[in-house]
């Protein structure tokens, strides 16, 4: 079992000045805390993703669909679909759950 405080993770985002921080990494899933907007390249992933919006508001596009999002919303992204948050009214902080740990935005950093 793992227990992580989202407040502590949010503090890590602030202190590190980064857009992503890893929460959990297992064979079957990976969880990251992410902040939007962020400068990371936007590319489709090889796994399904689930975004749980913890705070903030704006818009998200998933494939050809566009939705307004706010605190408490959940966004599902099927593998391979283009997706991104935009027109952000308040900075968005979200837990991002990946169905496996094959790929991570964190792995693409140099």
């Amino acid at each position: 079992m793992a227990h992580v405080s989202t407040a502590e993770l949010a503090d890590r985002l602030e202190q590190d000045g980064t857009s992503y921080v890893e929460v959990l990494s297992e064979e079957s899933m990976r969880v990251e805390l992410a902040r939007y907007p962020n400068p990371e390249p936007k590319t489709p992933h090889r796994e399904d993703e689930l975004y749980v919006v913890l705070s903030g508001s704006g818009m998200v596009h998933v494939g050809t669909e566009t939705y307004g999002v706010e605190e408490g919303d959940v966004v599902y992204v099927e593998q391979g679909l283009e997706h991104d948050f935009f027109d952000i009214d308040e900075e968005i902080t979200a837990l991002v759950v990946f169905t496996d740990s094959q790929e991570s935005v964190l792995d693409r950093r140099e």
Side-chain angles (χ1 to χ4, degrees), residues 7-9 11 13-14 20 22 25 37 41 44 46 56 62-65 75 81 87-88 90 94 101 107 109:
E8 288 175 15
L9 291 169
D11 286 346
L13 280 176
E14 273 310 306
Y20 293 89
E22 187 172 86
S25 183
R46 293 182 302 231
V62 179
T64 60
E65 304 289 327
V75 178
L81 285 182
D87 286 347
I88 296 171
E90 289 180 57
S101 57
D107 295 335
R109 283 198 200 153

Side-chain angles (χ1 to χ4, degrees), residues 43-99:
T43 58
H45 299 276
R46 293 182 302 231
E47 63 270 314
D48 292 348
E49 301 170 64
L50 188 71
Y51 291 79
V52 180
V53 179
L54 301 177
S55 64
S57 62
M59 302 293 290
V60 65
H61 83 83
V62 179
T64 60
E65 304 289 327
T66 300
Y67 308 95
V69 293
E70 60 186 20
E71 182 178 328
D73 286 354
V74 176
V75 178
Y76 168 71
V77 179
E78 187 176 345
Q79 66 177 336
L81 285 182
E82 296 279 342
H83 58 285
D84 194 15
F85 291 97
F86 65 100
D87 286 347
I88 296 171
D89 298 320
E90 289 180 57
E91 183 179 83
I92 294 172
T93 301
L95 277 176
V96 186
V97 180
F98 297 88
T99 57

Side-chain angles (χ1 to χ4, degrees), residues 13-31:
L13 280 176
E14 273 310 306
Q15 291 171 359
D16 294 351
T18 185
S19 298
Y20 293 89
V21 64
E22 187 172 86
V23 177
L24 175 74
S25 183
E26 298 292 334
E27 241 182 82
S28 61
M29 81 169 62
R30 189 180 64 262
V31 180

